[in-house]
């Protein structure tokens, strides 16, 4: 079968099963890794992704539904979300729409964090936007539970870095919209997380 898209660590197929479109995410072997390590990483990320897609949804974050998983062959079959990557939309969206959608993105990260979860790779290619402007988060293979303030700070820092490197011409509006969204999710830790992001940036500057 022809892959639908090839990511950094996975090959994605789209197929029809039981009358619906299913997205199949496969983590293939990486020839340059030691076999035992590769096997361990593929299994643990597949298992983590499956679990965290559901944990996130229980926190109120829209994620694709998991249909089935094959842990030995490293496949996850999940709901196909009809839409586009936020990454592809940034350049063509009007400023107010971009602001609204990025604000929602920040809000979803805030919901995860309040629930003790970090996404691990909060870039704009892992956000799917439909026609109506509803958004979903995908790619939970690096997500973690029991997150500390440091882990949350790193998560937001990664988001900011993604805006800087991929959307440098919209960076300011996106970062401030994301923080506004994040702030709407009230948590005792919010201010600590924000100052930690600053600290992490400072650390980066001198190393
Ligand atoms: N359930 C889904 N519905 C629709 N599109 C999806 C779904 N899951 C993934 N995609 C699309 O496929 C792309 C790659 O998926 P994903 O990010 O999970 O894999 P990855 O190998 O980690 O990719 P990368 O390394 O490029 O981040 C996503 O950016 C998204 O555009
Ligand atoms: Mg991805």
């Amino acid at each position: 079968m022809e892959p639908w898209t090839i990511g950094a660590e996975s090959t994605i197929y789209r197929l029809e099963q039981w009358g619906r479109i299913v997205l199949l995410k496969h983590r293939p072997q990486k020839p340059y890794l030691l076999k035992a390590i590769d096997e361990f990483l593929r299994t643990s990320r597949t298992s983590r992704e499956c679990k965290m897609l559901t944990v996130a949804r229980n926190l109120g974050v829209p994620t694709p539904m998991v249909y089935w998983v094959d842990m030995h062959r490293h496949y996850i079959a999940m709901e196909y979300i009809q839409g586009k990557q936020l990454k592809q939309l940034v350049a063509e969206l009007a400023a107010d729409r971009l602001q609204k959608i990025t604000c929602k993105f920040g809000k979803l990260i805030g919901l995860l964090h309040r629930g003790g979860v970090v996404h691990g790779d909060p870039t704009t290619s892992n956000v799917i936007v439909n026609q109506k402007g509803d958004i979903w988060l995908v790619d939970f293979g690096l997500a973690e539970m029991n997150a500390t303030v440091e882990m949350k700070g790193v998560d937001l820092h990664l988001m900011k870095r993604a805006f800087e490197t991929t959307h440098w011409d919209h960076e300011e509006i996106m970062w401030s919209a994301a923080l506004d969204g994040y702030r709407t999710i009230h948590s005792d830790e919010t201010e600590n997380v924000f100052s930690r992001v600053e600290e992490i940036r400072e650390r980066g500057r001198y190393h």
Side-chain angles (χ1 to χ4, degrees):
M1 201 193 324
E2 278 292 300
W4 180 58
T5 168
I6 301 182
E9 66 159 301
S10 70
T11 307
I12 292 187
Y13 303 90
R14 246 180 53 157
L15 50 103
E16 215 187 294
Q17 196 172 37
W18 310 310
R20 52 176 129 205
I21 299 175
V22 172
L23 189 136
L24 209 55
K25 178 167 178 175
H26 178 228
R27 288 184 163 81
Q29 194 180 340
K30 288 189 174 136
Y32 51 87
L33 284 183
L34 194 64
K35 220 174 160 135
I37 295 176
D38 187 46
E39 185 64 31
F40 170 78
L41 286 177
R42 292 158 76 205
T43 306
S44 61
R45 287 186 186 157
T46 300
S47 136
R48 182 180 293 267
E49 175 147 45
C50 249
K51 182 172 80 188
M52 299 311 284
L53 280 167
T54 307
V55 168
R57 180 140 20 83
N58 288 334
L59 292 171
V61 175
T63 60
M65 194 191 319
V66 175
Y67 294 140
W68 51 262
V69 55
D70 184 334
M71 215 64 98
H72 299 294
R73 289 189 299 168
H74 319 286
Y75 279 97
I76 303 177
M78 65 180 102
E79 175 188 6
Y80 169 69
I81 308 295
Q82 183 90 47
K84 279 190 174 176
Q85 293 180 342
L86 175 56
K87 181 180 179 174
Q88 299 173 311
L89 288 175
V90 169
E92 61 188 69
L93 283 176
D96 58 334
R97 249 175 95 71
L98 177 61
Q99 200 163 4
K100 265 204 191 119
I101 289 168
T102 315
C103 178
K104 285 188 196 168
F105 181 19
K107 196 169 162 182
L108 296 188
I109 297 297
L111 278 174
L112 287 179
H113 287 192
R114 190 175 66 185
V117 171
V118 286
H119 181 278
D121 191 18
T123 64
T124 50
S125 50
N126 292 329
V127 178
I128 314 228
V129 187
N130 75 4
Q131 286 281 345
K132 278 171 34 195
D134 302 325
I135 75 169
W136 280 259
L137 296 188
V138 299
D139 204 359
F140 279 78
L142 296 175
E144 290 190 72
M145 291 200 283
N146 304 314
T148 58
V149 167
E150 172 74 14
M151 289 158 77
K152 294 173 188 176
V154 168
D155 217 29
L156 280 187
H157 171 69
L158 290 174
M159 183 193 228
K160 182 159 204 254
R161 275 254 305 270
F163 295 161
E164 282 167 2
T165 55
T166 322
H167 311 291
W168 54 271
D169 45 348
H170 297 90
E171 184 222 331
E172 270 175 50
I173 157 174
M174 290 180 80
W175 178 237
S176 87
L179 291 186
D180 286 347
Y182 191 96
R183 222 180 255 113
T184 64
I185 306 300
H186 297 285
S187 143
D188 297 344
E189 267 180 8
T190 304
E191 291 309 319
N192 292 343
V193 174
F194 286 172
S195 27
R196 189 62 68 102
V197 178
E198 292 308 314
E199 241 178 87
I200 293 166
R201 285 184 74 71
E202 287 303 312
R203 266 186 239 155
R205 237 190 281 280
Y206 300 109
H207 286 290

